[in-house]
Amino acid sequence: MTETTVAGVMAELAALEDPKIRAVNERHGDDHGVNLTKLRALAKRLRTQQDLALGLWATGDTAARLLAILICRPKSFERAGLDVMLRDARVPKVHDWLVNYVVKKTPHAEELRLTWFADPDPVVASAGWALTSERVVKNPEGLDLEGLLDVIEAEMKGAPDRLQWAMNHCLAQIGIEHPDHRARAIDIGERLQVLKDYPTPPNCTSPFAPTWIAEIVRRQHAK
């Protein structure tokens, strides 16, 4: 496509709308009805177009924002702009993709992690915890893992859903990646019982931290 307009792309997205997909997505808080495989195919055809991405994001439409994330140039964003975008990204899938596909690829990730981590808005704070989990796995030097476990132990049980999920992910990653902290991570999970009864499809790993930690460690040792 050559010099595609926002209006043209919005028309394509409208043509891809499927009421059945929307019904499924809305149960998870995602208000769009576009098959993600088809969305990714459209992104592949459009390729990277930063200006178009900004225009699509500005529409506020969820499918348009997901597409914008796929065709944007992450390193073109300033820190302040990413902060504004994150605070405006209230739809779970948009929030998740923005953090994972854009923020993590920018030089602003650590500064934003620190900004968001203790934010009073639990949705914003969940982004800080997601970035912290990334550091737990890839760059743990300088992180206070015991301090993180202290916060998780004190606050995860009563945290709002999306923040609780992000804190639980961090708890599991600490237990998986850092054997010296594994016993405490498992103990915290056992005592708090967060996500113990979460419905998990067959052949998928439960998000209950003790089960998650044990399964991934087992797989690592089996290699």
Side-chain angles (χ1 to χ4, degrees):
M1 299 176 83
T2 58
E3 206 55 42
T4 316
T5 65
V6 170
V9 175
M10 294 302 290
E12 287 207 57
L13 290 173
L16 293 174
E17 175 78 18
D18 183 329
K20 292 181 180 178
I21 292 176
R22 176 176 285 274
V24 172
N25 287 335
E26 284 183 341
R27 289 202 291 270
H28 303 286
D30 294 317
D31 57 345
H32 75 92
V34 178
N35 178 286
L36 294 181
T37 299
K38 293 180 179 179
L39 188 79
R40 291 180 186 278
L42 177 56
K44 186 176 181 180
R45 182 154 53 89
L46 289 171
R47 300 186 180 182
T48 302
Q49 295 192 50
Q50 181 70 2
D51 288 343
L52 178 59
L54 294 175
L56 290 170
W57 182 272
T59 67
D61 177 79
T62 293
R65 286 188 162 185
L66 292 173
L67 181 60
I69 288 166
L70 295 176
I71 68 170
C72 75
R73 187 176 293 105
K75 292 182 180 178
S76 294
F77 290 103
E78 297 294 335
R79 186 200 64 78
L82 290 169
D83 183 65
V84 170
M85 290 170 72
L86 189 281
R87 293 175 189 279
D88 190 40
R90 310 307 290 187
V91 176
K93 183 70 73 177
V94 174
H95 174 100
D96 182 57
W97 280 24
L98 182 64
V99 172
N100 287 289
Y101 296 167
V102 181
V103 177
K104 287 181 180 179
K105 297 179 180 179
T106 75
H108 311 297
E110 178 61 12
E111 188 177 353
L112 289 170
R113 181 186 77 83
L114 295 171
T115 298
W116 294 336
F117 185 82
D119 197 278
D121 182 331
V123 175
V124 175
S126 73
W129 278 92
L131 294 172
T132 299
S133 294
E134 177 88 349
R135 274 205 59 190
V136 165
V137 175
K138 296 185 176 179
N139 183 27
E141 186 174 352
L143 281 181
D144 178 5
L145 298 180
E146 282 291 339
L148 288 172
L149 291 174
D150 288 344
V151 176
I152 291 168
E153 186 172 23
E155 300 180 12
M156 182 171 74
K157 182 79 171 178
D161 287 351
R162 284 162 69 179
L163 178 55
Q164 184 184 74
W165 186 273
M167 294 174 81
N168 183 73
H169 188 193
C170 190
L171 174 66
Q173 293 296 357
I174 291 173
I176 291 165
E177 300 292 336
H178 301 278
D180 291 349
H181 300 279
R182 186 170 296 151
R184 186 182 176 202
I186 292 172
D187 178 65
I188 290 171
E190 292 285 6
R191 283 187 289 105
L192 298 185
Q193 299 283 289
V194 168
L195 299 176
K196 183 175 183 180
D197 298 322
Y198 190 84
T200 305
N203 302 317
C204 291
T205 302
S206 169
F208 179 50
T211 303
W212 186 356
I213 293 167
E215 175 59 19
I216 301 303
V217 171
R218 183 193 68 77
R219 292 180 194 176
Q220 290 173 344
H221 289 165
K223 287 182 180 179

